[in-house]
């Protein structure tokens, strides 16, 4: 008899260290094993609930028709409506969106907010689209995923290269179809149309909170602690500004044009003003130019990768000198790098905890929309603080109890919570 031909799944053929879905799965498997997860629930949690692939025809300003590809993945909705951002980027793939949707599932569970996980993406270069092309693209994409959207079913938010304006168009398109205004269908909206105070800064603020907790935990002085931040967008710039205000020294920042280093500290307000006026950090005069790769290897106390996936890999992990890494981005560290950092004793605050401030205030926004009653920024920030500190402490305790690092502890805690709901709900047959 001829031996059966081995079928290699496409994810196996890809360079595995950089495949985000595999990166997520490797961590998931480690945690599931430690939890002795029962095989049935294990199978359910390894599989996305729903994956939509849509084509998005858009009439361009020059009169030509372009067709874009869009995705929306609902990874798991056992704990509540699916929640997660939408990104517009040339590198969007179904694998990436699926991994990010799974990460949202674990993230919502780590901070214990009643949402499942989702993510969406459109393959496009938003920097080359006019404002009206971007609007038509957003509306047509929204129309194509209308069946899954809804305050009770799937609630998008901003992510890479999407913002409050994009959320406003999504909310309007959805509301036009429903024939009435539905604010709670998206979060991260402009405040004037139902957004929450503090939402824009929430991810960066959450990063600031966990960094301070980590410094305390390691008994390192806050004042003068040296910080390097990769990515000076919505997450990185806010985290840098807040940590500077707390007395830490931000010695390096970067964006996609490269980085700046100044051992005396970079005045983050000046950097924000520069970016506001010039769009990118390039040319910012108050420091030495460095590359994004060099930034990751600087001698600092705290490293905040707040840009893209897969920037800390097995190749550069041995050179990382930071004592603490706070993952502002989703998936900045590969699974192979995890091991190396672990052996070096780096205190890694994993993405599903470190950057959960954004979705936490998204939850507050959704609650406020449904109540029709709005909270002050002080109340939002205080409640965010409560959630972040409590979650940090919880993950830390869990890691000590089970003798695992913070990432494995966060995954275990999250998977345990999602699995418990699956067991209680049972299987509808
Ligand atoms: N895109 C953000 C994240 O990755 C926020 C998601 C949300 O607020 O729903 O966590």
């Amino acid at each position: 008899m001829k031996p059966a031909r081995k079928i290699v799944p496409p994810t196996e053929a890809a360079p595995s260290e950089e495949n985000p879905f595999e990166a997520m799965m490797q961590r998931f498997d480690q945690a599931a094993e430690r939890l002795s997860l029962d095989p049935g629930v294990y199978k359910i949690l390894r599989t996305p609930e729903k994956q939509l692939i849509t084509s998005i025809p858009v009439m361009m300003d020059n009169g030509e028709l372009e067709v874009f590809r869009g995705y929306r993945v609902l990874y798991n909705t056992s704990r509540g409506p699916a929640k997660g951002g939408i990104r517009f980027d040339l590198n969007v793939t179904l694998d990436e969106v699926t991994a990010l949707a799974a990460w949202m599932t674990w993230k919502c569970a780590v901070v214990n907010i009643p949402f499942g996980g989702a993510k969406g993406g459109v393959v496009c270069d938003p920097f080359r689209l006019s404002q009206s092309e971007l609007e038509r693209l957003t509306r047509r994409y929204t129309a194509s995923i209308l069946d899954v959207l809804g305050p009770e079913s799937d609630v998008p938010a901003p992510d890479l290269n999407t913002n409050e304006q994009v959320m406003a168009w999504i909310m309007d398109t959805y509301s036009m179809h429903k024939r009435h205004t539905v604010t709670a269908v998206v979060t991260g909206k402009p405040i004037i149309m139902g957004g929450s105070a503090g939402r824009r800064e929430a991810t960066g603020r959450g990063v600031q909170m966990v960094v301070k907790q980590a410094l305390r935990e390691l008994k390192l002085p806050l004042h003068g602690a040296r910080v390097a931040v990769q990515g000076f967008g919505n997450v990185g710039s806010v985290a840098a500004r807040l940590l500077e205000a707390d007395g830490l020294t931000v010695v390096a920042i970067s964006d996609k044009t490269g980085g700046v280093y100044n051992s005396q500290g970079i005045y983050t307000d000046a950097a924000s003003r520069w970016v506001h006026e010039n769009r990118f950090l390039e040319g910012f005069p108050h420091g030495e130019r460095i590359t994004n790769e060099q930034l990751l290897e600087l001698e600092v106390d705290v490293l905040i990768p707040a840009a893209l996936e897969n920037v800390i890999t097995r190749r550069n992990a041995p050179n990382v000198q930071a004592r603490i890494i706070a993952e502002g981005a989703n998936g900045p560290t590969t699974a192979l790098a995890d091991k190396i950092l672990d052996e070096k004793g780096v205190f890694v605050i994993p993405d599903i905890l470190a950057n959960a401030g954004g979705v936490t205030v998204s939850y507050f926004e959704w609650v406020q929309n449904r109540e029709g009653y709005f909270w002050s920024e002080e109340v939002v920030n205080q409640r965010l603080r409560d959630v972040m500190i409590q979650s940090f402490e919880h993950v830390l305790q869990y890691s000590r109890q089970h003798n695992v690092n913070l990432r494995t502890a966060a995954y275990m805690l999250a998977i345990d919570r999602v699995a418990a709901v699956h067991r209680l709900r049972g299987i509808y047959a």
Side-chain angles (χ1 to χ4, degrees):
M1 210 170 74
K2 260 188 23 199
R5 199 148 52 97
K6 188 171 177 257
I7 298 170
V8 182
T11 45
E12 243 181 69
S16 76
E17 188 180 10
E18 316 248 301
N19 182 312
F21 190 71
E22 271 190 36
M24 188 281 298
M25 268 306 154
Q26 281 180 28
R27 273 71 168 257
F28 172 83
D29 279 347
Q30 272 170 22
E33 202 182 310
R34 288 219 166 230
L35 284 169
S36 309
L37 201 65
D38 48 285
V41 176
Y42 174 78
K43 279 188 217 159
I44 291 176
L45 296 187
R46 281 190 121 247
T47 321
E49 256 175 49
K50 200 174 277 178
Q51 293 176 300
L52 302 182
I53 305 175
T54 66
S55 81
I56 309 162
V58 176
M59 189 58 79
M60 306 303 277
D61 292 346
N62 65 7
E64 275 177 36
L65 193 82
E66 233 8 286
V67 180
F68 297 88
R69 175 168 286 243
Y71 304 104
R72 183 75 181 163
V73 175
L74 275 56
Y75 194 83
N76 186 289
T77 59
S78 57
R79 299 179 69 254
K83 188 81 192 81
I86 291 171
R87 52 174 58 187
F88 288 171
D89 192 66
L90 276 176
N91 296 319
V92 165
T93 62
L94 181 60
D95 252 1
E96 183 199 49
V97 175
T98 306
L100 290 161
W103 273 321
M104 285 308 303
T105 309
W106 317 135
K107 196 185 297 185
C108 293
V110 167
V111 288
N112 214 0
I113 56 176
F115 285 139
K119 204 80 172 195
V122 177
V123 188
C124 68
D125 181 353
F127 297 104
R128 301 190 66 161
L129 297 176
S130 71
Q131 192 71 351
S132 51
E133 287 167 342
L134 208 57
E135 177 174 354
R136 288 193 290 279
L137 174 84
T138 304
R139 288 188 184 277
R140 184 61 191 247
Y141 168 70
T142 307
S144 74
I145 59 168
L146 208 73
D147 286 347
V148 295
L149 293 184
E152 302 289 346
S153 51
D154 181 22
V155 186
D159 198 77
L160 188 65
N161 302 332
T162 55
N163 54 23
E164 294 179 0
Q165 176 61 75
V166 172
M167 296 308 113
W169 291 326
I170 296 176
M171 184 276 219
D172 182 69
T173 307
Y174 182 84
S175 298
M176 286 297 118
H177 280 266
K178 291 289 156 191
R179 301 285 186 260
H180 63 100
T181 294
V182 187
T183 54
V185 69
V186 287
T187 60
K189 299 176 288 294
I191 292 183
I192 193 171
M193 54 180 281
S196 174
R199 173 62 186 86
R200 201 183 299 160
E201 298 80 19
T203 314
R205 194 178 287 280
V207 171
Q208 172 219 16
M209 290 165 176
V210 294
V211 165
K212 283 166 70 181
Q213 283 304 102
L215 285 166
R216 258 180 229 129
E217 175 58 32
L218 298 178
K219 303 200 167 45
L220 294 172
L222 224 79
H223 201 86
R226 294 155 59 82
V227 189
V229 184
Q230 184 180 66
F232 204 64
N234 184 39
V235 182
S237 68
V238 173
R241 176 169 58 78
L242 294 174
L243 288 169
E244 179 187 80
D246 284 329
L248 287 81
T249 307
V250 178
V251 294
I253 53 174
S254 71
D255 66 10
K256 64 185 195 185
T257 64
V260 210
Y261 172 78
N262 187 334
S263 61
Q264 300 305 305
I266 288 164
Y267 185 42
T268 60
D269 265 356
S272 292
R273 244 177 288 129
W274 180 272
V275 171
H276 186 74
E277 281 157 21
N278 302 283
R279 205 156 135 203
F280 297 113
L281 266 178
E282 198 167 23
F284 180 65
H286 306 295
E288 234 175 274
R289 291 297 296 171
I290 53 168
T291 64
N292 263 298
E293 290 73 32
Q294 286 170 323
L295 181 141
L296 298 169
E297 300 179 8
L298 288 174
E299 201 189 320
V300 287
D301 299 292
V302 182
L303 174 62
I304 305 179
L308 291 173
E309 286 121 79
N310 297 330
V311 293
I312 304 176
T313 65
R314 86 187 123 91
R315 283 178 291 279
N316 60 2
N319 307 332
V320 167
Q321 300 189 61
R323 190 68 198 81
I324 297 168
I325 296 179
E327 296 184 335
N330 290 312
T333 310
T334 67
L336 289 175
D338 267 356
K339 254 177 93 180
I340 300 167
L341 297 175
D342 223 16
E343 279 158 18
K344 286 166 66 102
V346 183
F347 190 91
V348 179
I349 315 169
D351 44 9
I352 57 173
L353 170 65
N355 71 36
V359 75
T360 300
V361 176
S362 274
Y363 166 56
F364 296 161
E365 181 172 330
W366 179 81
V367 169
Q368 292 169 81
N369 290 159
R370 286 155 57 102
E371 283 195 330
Y373 178 72
F374 287 83
W375 314 342
S376 68
E377 189 167 348
E378 290 68 51
V379 170
V380 170
N381 289 345
Q382 187 52 49
R383 290 184 178 170
L384 170 64
R385 207 185 122 75
D386 293 346
V387 170
M388 293 306 295
I389 306 283
Q390 215 177 63
S391 307
F392 180 91
E393 290 305 324
H394 213 133
V395 171
L396 191 63
Q397 257 176 36
Y398 211 89
S399 84
R400 288 204 184 112
Q401 228 172 43
H402 296 269
N403 199 20
V404 292
N405 63 26
L406 290 188
R407 189 183 317 276
T408 307
Y411 270 75
M412 286 170 74
L413 188 63
I415 292 167
D416 205 20
R417 285 184 176 151
V418 181
V421 173
H422 273 284
R423 266 180 235 113
L424 286 166
R425 289 182 59 160
I427 299 297
Y428 175 73

